[in-house]
Amino acid sequence: YTLSLHDALPISTFRLAYLDETMAVFARSEDLRTPPLDCQTVQIAPPAATASRWDRYNTYAVAGRIYFTLGRYDEAERAWRQAATIFGDGAEMHLNFGAMRQIQGRLGEAEREYRMALADYPVWQTYAALGRLLTREGRAPEATEYLRAAAARNPRPFLDWLLIARNELAAERPREALDAIDRAVRSDPYQGDSVSLGLRFMVELLA
């Protein structure tokens, strides 16, 4: 099984079988033929000294994301700092550090990082990151502004519209909330056999 690092992994079922600078592979415990790797201690090899500038940057950037997903925040930060010394702290690094600071509860720093990412790279991901952070802080009207900008740019804005609807309800704007839910319905990617997956997101809001 090769799984996205963003998937939920039942610890009792899956073990880390392989890790490098491009991927983490988890396997069912009963399928392993070698001892599992320890998610908290296994290391990603640094790039070779002869590697190109881009390869060195990419190795550290991806390693940071893998360490971050494994909950190893100090190592993630060191890897991202290494990447930043190669190509500077552009939008990707600001997004990475914003996510890190948000997890750490340092929301003011996270907001600054997201705003710098947005200034460098105004795409749906940067608008959405800032909008979701502002939502978490209870700043619904301001958050909605950024989430609407994200939805306008996102080819699959379903979750953006649902969060906009929640924020509009928090701001006591039910008509706008219903409009956002209608837009979510029209962009719902869950169709056919997966339709129930989309409905569960909307039931609470509609109620």
Side-chain angles (χ1 to χ4, degrees), residues 111 115 130-131 134-135 139-147 167:
E111 181 177 344
R115 288 191 183 279
L130 182 55
L134 296 174
T135 296
R139 296 156 63 181
E142 188 179 1
T144 296
E145 174 187 345
Y146 290 100
L147 290 168
N167 283 341

Side-chain angles (χ1 to χ4, degrees), residues 1-204:
Y1 295 84
T2 302
L3 301 177
S4 164
L5 286 174
H6 297 288
D7 291 337
L9 295 172
I11 299 302
S12 61
T13 304
F14 292 96
R15 292 289 187 270
L16 182 61
Y18 176 81
L19 180 70
D20 66 14
E21 72 279 7
T22 63
M23 73 180 75
V25 179
F26 292 82
R28 292 185 183 277
S29 301
E30 62 269 24
D31 294 335
L32 282 172
R33 298 295 179 265
T34 57
L37 302 175
D38 187 335
C39 289
Q40 296 307 308
T41 60
V42 64
Q43 295 295 311
I44 297 171
T50 56
S52 69
R53 188 180 177 204
W54 165 250
D55 284 341
R56 287 186 289 116
Y57 171 84
N58 199 52
T59 296
Y60 285 122
V62 175
R65 286 196 291 273
I66 292 174
Y67 286 138
F68 177 74
T69 305
L70 294 175
R72 295 162 61 175
Y73 303 132
D74 290 342
E75 289 162 289
E77 180 149 355
R78 284 196 293 272
W80 285 334
R81 294 289 180 201
Q82 289 276 13
T85 64
I86 298 170
F87 272 129
D89 53 349
E92 181 181 18
M93 287 300 111
H94 289 307
L95 278 174
N96 289 339
F97 283 118
M100 173 88 73
R101 300 301 175 239
Q102 187 169 341
I103 286 288
Q104 294 170 331
R106 297 156 62 177
L107 302 188
E109 294 175 53
E111 181 177 344
R112 285 195 294 275
E113 294 287 352
Y114 287 148
R115 288 191 183 279
M116 286 188 283
L118 181 59
D120 286 345
Y121 197 48
V123 296
W124 76 263
Q125 292 94 332
T126 49
Y127 279 104
L130 182 55
R132 289 167 187 165
L133 174 68
L134 296 174
T135 296
R136 176 177 171 181
E137 293 185 302
R139 296 156 63 181
E142 188 179 1
T144 296
E145 174 187 345
Y146 290 100
L147 290 168
R148 285 184 179 277
R153 293 164 172 80
N154 188 349
R156 301 180 68 182
F158 175 67
L159 294 179
D160 296 327
W161 283 117
L162 288 183
L163 190 50
I164 290 167
R166 188 175 298 279
N167 283 341
E168 294 290 16
L169 283 176
E172 299 184 349
R173 290 158 50 96
R175 190 180 302 277
E176 289 78 2
L178 282 172
D179 176 71
I181 294 173
D182 286 341
R183 292 173 185 267
V185 170
R186 291 198 294 271
S187 62
D188 186 354
Y190 300 105
Q191 304 297 328
D193 291 341
S194 66
V195 67
S196 62
L197 297 176
L199 288 175
R200 68 188 179 91
F201 290 112
M202 288 182 279
V203 168
E204 179 187 353

